[in-house]
Amino acid sequence: MLDSTKISRRQSEIRQELAALVGKEKPTEDETRSLGDLDGEYRTNETRYRAALIAEDEQRSEAKGELETRSDREYADLIGRFELRQVALALDEGRALDGATAEVVQEMRGAGGFRGVPVPFEVLEQRSTVSTDTPSPINTRPIIDRLFPASVAARLGVSSVSIAQGSEAFPVATAGATAGWAATEGGNVPNDTAFQTGETTLSPDQTLGAHMRISRKALKQSGAGLEAAIRRDMSAAIGTELDRAILLGSGSAGEPLGVISGAATYGIVDTDMTAAAPTWTAFKAEVIAFMQANAITDPSQVKLGISPAIWGDLDDAIWDAGSGITEWDRLAKHIGAGNIVLGNQLTAGTALLTTTVNGVAPAFVGLWGGLDLIRDVYSDAQSGGLRLTGLITADVTVARGLQTRIMSNIG
């Protein structure tokens, strides 16, 4: 413990003792003597306290970075030791949680909003197995990447926002400064447009559920392997459906409004390519439109999502018969193969182009709290099975439609 902390605590004790003695109308000789001693000690400690702060200043500066990140590292370490198997057994048999699992659950319960057992999103991440068979979590990627490494939305630059409670608003500048020349000497420069912003909001109105049935045999036979099985199953089910909703959500029947299906609402340009074959020239027109809107300065700043069928058409279309160069070769050369995402989530004949501008993602996905895991021991009671339902509250929004373009009915 730092000397300054020890002195500060002692000063607090002295103040309490002085307060008790000062309140007496007729203190004894011993109490009067104590008053003098405590007063002298208090004044001496004030000098010592200032000296300790000066001496510890360098030490505090060196430790500042560690102190600021220690709590995050400790919590990440707890999540790394979280055992989903404990949650399954707690729901099935009523077994008490212990260790890191119990600490994380208690921490999340403190935030409220869970009917069942709360499970952090990070627990559904893909884990690798090392020689000691100890799960090794991957903690270096954002939530969507970490949960669903193959997510089309994540690879297209969609950003995830972790929200504890309430709604999250994203103000975006819609009008601002104008530049122009003074018409005459001493004349005013143009200043007709006021700075304005518009807001898009993530609201906890949509709930995604993943339902799984665990047989009695699986509970008794799987052992530690049950954890890996639940991770894979939950992650696959949630990842696939959330990815689809981010792009194609209808905005009704409990679904959020997806980026493609909500193009008109979000102000996204949707170019109808009816009867036009997929070529680099067609995609180049959309890239040029991005440039003319000052959204990008280079084609490599665009991320492109297409269906496998469009990739097949591009690869079959020969641009230069003599050299064997295909339309796919031309597209990959300018956009960059690493920026092109193939995904079955995209409907046939649809391409999605996105870009990130000044750190602002083309779309945002809000995830509230964590996975709320609820048990049902009654539906399969006759067979001794267990049903688990994982609930996630999520929403999708596009802050600025200018950063996204859609090409539909290609080919």
Side-chain angles (χ1 to χ4, degrees), residues 39-116:
D39 180 63
E41 183 182 355
Y42 189 88
R43 285 187 276 108
T44 301
N45 284 348
E46 284 294 299
T47 304
R48 292 179 58 220
Y49 181 72
R50 289 193 295 271
L53 289 178
I54 295 172
E56 294 165 1
D57 181 65
E58 182 177 352
Q59 183 179 354
R60 290 177 185 272
S61 299
E62 293 176 353
K64 181 179 180 182
E66 179 183 354
L67 292 172
E68 290 177 345
T69 58
R70 182 179 299 167
S71 60
D72 293 337
R73 291 204 310 269
E74 289 176 351
Y75 187 67
D77 180 62
L78 286 176
I79 291 178
R81 292 184 282 120
F82 190 99
E83 296 180 352
L84 200 56
R85 180 171 178 266
Q86 281 197 43
V87 176
L89 293 176
L91 294 173
D92 179 43
E93 305 172 0
R95 182 179 299 184
L97 302 176
D98 57 34
T101 304
E103 290 188 49
V104 172
V105 169
Q106 184 177 1
E107 180 83 13
M108 295 185 70
R109 282 196 189 282
F114 296 98
R115 285 185 53 207

Side-chain angles (χ1 to χ4, degrees), residues 151-152 155-156 280 283 287 299-308 310-312 314 327-343 346 351-354:
S151 168
V152 170
R155 293 162 64 193
L156 287 173
W280 160 239
F283 288 102
V287 174
S300 62
Q301 294 174 270
V302 172
K303 292 185 181 296
L304 171 64
I306 57 176
S307 66
I310 294 178
W311 168 77
L314 287 166
E327 293 292 345
W328 169 255
D329 294 330
R330 301 176 69 201
L331 179 67
K333 173 185 176 182
H334 294 284
I335 299 293
N339 291 332
I340 302 175
V341 181
L342 304 181
L346 295 166
L352 182 66
L353 296 89
T354 66

Side-chain angles (χ1 to χ4, degrees), residues 203-231:
S203 301
D205 299 327
Q206 292 85 25
T207 299
L208 169 63
H211 189 68
M212 84 175 6
R213 300 175 61 180
I214 304 175
S215 67
R216 181 175 178 81
K217 179 179 179 180
L219 288 167
K220 302 302 180 184
Q221 188 180 52
S222 299
L226 181 62
E227 169 145 351
I230 291 177
R231 285 181 195 278

Side-chain angles (χ1 to χ4, degrees), residues 225-343:
L226 181 62
E227 169 145 351
I230 291 177
R231 285 181 195 278
R232 289 193 300 268
D233 205 26
M234 280 279 189
S235 179
I238 293 172
T240 300
E241 179 54 28
L242 184 59
D243 212 28
R244 185 200 66 80
I246 292 171
L247 300 175
L248 302 171
S250 64
S252 60
E255 294 184 0
L257 184 60
V259 175
I260 295 176
S261 51
T265 300
Y266 296 131
I268 298 172
V269 175
D270 187 346
T271 304
D272 190 348
M273 304 295 294
T274 300
T279 62
W280 160 239
T281 301
F283 288 102
K284 180 169 63 175
E286 300 300 313
V287 174
I288 292 173
F290 268 139
M291 291 181 170
Q292 291 174 336
N294 295 321
I296 62 170
T297 57
D298 188 88
S300 62
Q301 294 174 270
V302 172
K303 292 185 181 296
L304 171 64
I306 57 176
S307 66
I310 294 178
W311 168 77
D313 292 339
L314 287 166
D315 196 47
D316 288 339
I318 303 297
W319 174 69
D320 184 350
S323 63
I325 297 176
T326 65
E327 293 292 345
W328 169 255
D329 294 330
R330 301 176 69 201
L331 179 67
K333 173 185 176 182
H334 294 284
I335 299 293
N339 291 332
I340 302 175
V341 181
L342 304 181

Side-chain angles (χ1 to χ4, degrees), residues 21 25 65 69 102-103 139 143 158 195 262 374:
L21 293 173
E25 295 181 359
T69 58
E103 290 188 49
N139 292 314
I143 289 178
V158 177
F195 183 80
I374 302 173

